[in-house]
Amino acid sequence: MERVTGTLVHYAHVCPRKVWLMAHELGPDEDHPLLELGRFLGERTYPRERLRRVSLALPGAGMVLDWVRAEDGEGELLVAEVKKSSRLLKAARLQLLFYLKRLEEHGVAARGELRIPQERKRIPVELTPEAERELAAALAEIHALREQPLPPPPRRVGHCRGCAYAEFCWAESDLDPEEER
Ligand code: SF4
């Protein structure tokens, strides 16, 4: 099975075209301001906590975990995913479930937490049977999308206004990506 990343899982809940573009390694604009904000939040928000950004290359899955911390005495990891707002909360939860599942498959006990520092929120995420079914459906969708020879056409969604692919998708269109669906 081809490699799936947490970022792909995240966008499975947002835009199928974006999944296709990323799966085919057509990278977005690296200078996009929202990408910069994401990096800043990841690096600066929790300076006093001894948490670390960790990149793991597991078979079939690449993971860059925002923060990982060993929980004292419980033999369990805390894996936190940091987001700039709760606007794409379902997508962020799916991404974190993907990480928890991959860690579980490699014998690592972990619990998840979504962190939205600008809203002062910490939301626990658990790998329940229902969550596993949801994750399996998203992975099946990603694999089906990747097999398509061409990307799905652009479809205006709320995420377009902040998407690093916006220029690519809408440059030659009369449609305004700023408009909501
Ligand atoms: S700009 Fe909109 S349609 Fe294009 S990849 Fe981004 S979210 Fe999808």
Side-chain angles (χ1 to χ4, degrees), residues 74-87:
E74 295 177 16
E76 188 179 63
L77 290 182
L78 166 67
V79 176
E81 182 66 23
V82 182
K83 297 297 179 192
K84 62 184 179 348
S85 82
S86 51
R87 200 167 62 86

Side-chain angles (χ1 to χ4, degrees), residues 88-116:
L88 297 176
L89 206 55
K90 285 184 178 174
R93 179 176 153 275
L94 205 56
Q95 180 178 0
L96 190 46
L97 287 171
F98 170 75
Y99 294 150
L100 295 177
K101 182 66 185 170
R102 288 296 176 262
L103 288 169
E104 181 190 89
E105 287 169 353
H106 288 79
V108 179
R111 69 182 181 88
E113 192 172 83
L114 282 176
R115 295 185 174 193
I116 306 152

Side-chain angles (χ1 to χ4, degrees), residues 124-174:
V125 174
E126 202 183 335
L127 201 55
T128 62
E130 188 184 345
E132 292 209 30
R133 282 193 290 277
E134 209 180 318
L135 178 61
L139 292 174
E141 186 185 339
I142 290 168
H143 290 299
L145 273 168
R146 197 202 308 258
E147 293 305 309
Q148 291 183 19
L150 293 172
R155 190 170 57 91
R156 199 167 52 237
V157 295
H159 179 69
C160 289
R161 67 173 57 199
C163 179
Y165 287 107
E167 201 173 319
F168 172 70
C169 289
W170 302 106
E172 294 182 11
S173 169
D174 293 334

Side-chain angles (χ1 to χ4, degrees), residues 4-160:
V4 172
T5 64
T7 307
L8 278 185
V9 175
H10 179 90
Y11 288 118
H13 214 286
V14 176
C15 171
R17 178 174 171 86
K18 189 158 184 168
V19 170
W20 191 98
L21 293 169
M22 294 189 109
H24 289 80
E25 299 182 0
L26 297 168
D29 176 6
E30 282 295 313
D31 296 326
H32 194 280
L34 288 178
L35 294 182
E36 283 302 316
L37 176 59
R39 286 184 201 116
F40 177 83
L41 286 173
E43 289 162 12
R44 302 288 176 83
T45 309
Y46 300 105
R48 284 183 297 185
E49 295 193 48
R50 280 183 288 169
L51 301 167
R52 295 285 182 271
R53 175 166 273 217
V54 174
S55 177
L56 297 176
L58 298 176
M63 302 197 291
V64 178
L65 307 176
D66 279 346
W67 305 114
V68 177
R69 182 177 68 188
E71 295 285 75
D72 287 340
E74 295 177 16
E76 188 179 63
L77 290 182
L78 166 67
V79 176
E81 182 66 23
V82 182
K83 297 297 179 192
K84 62 184 179 348
S85 82
S86 51
R87 200 167 62 86
L88 297 176
L89 206 55
K90 285 184 178 174
R93 179 176 153 275
L94 205 56
Q95 180 178 0
L96 190 46
L97 287 171
F98 170 75
Y99 294 150
L100 295 177
K101 182 66 185 170
R102 288 296 176 262
L103 288 169
E104 181 190 89
E105 287 169 353
H106 288 79
V108 179
R111 69 182 181 88
E113 192 172 83
L114 282 176
R115 295 185 174 193
I116 306 152
Q118 291 184 320
E119 299 174 12
R120 298 182 182 277
K121 285 185 184 167
R122 294 187 180 197
I123 302 165
V125 174
E126 202 183 335
L127 201 55
T128 62
E130 188 184 345
E132 292 209 30
R133 282 193 290 277
E134 209 180 318
L135 178 61
L139 292 174
E141 186 185 339
I142 290 168
H143 290 299
L145 273 168
R146 197 202 308 258
E147 293 305 309
Q148 291 183 19
L150 293 172
R155 190 170 57 91
R156 199 167 52 237
V157 295
H159 179 69
C160 289

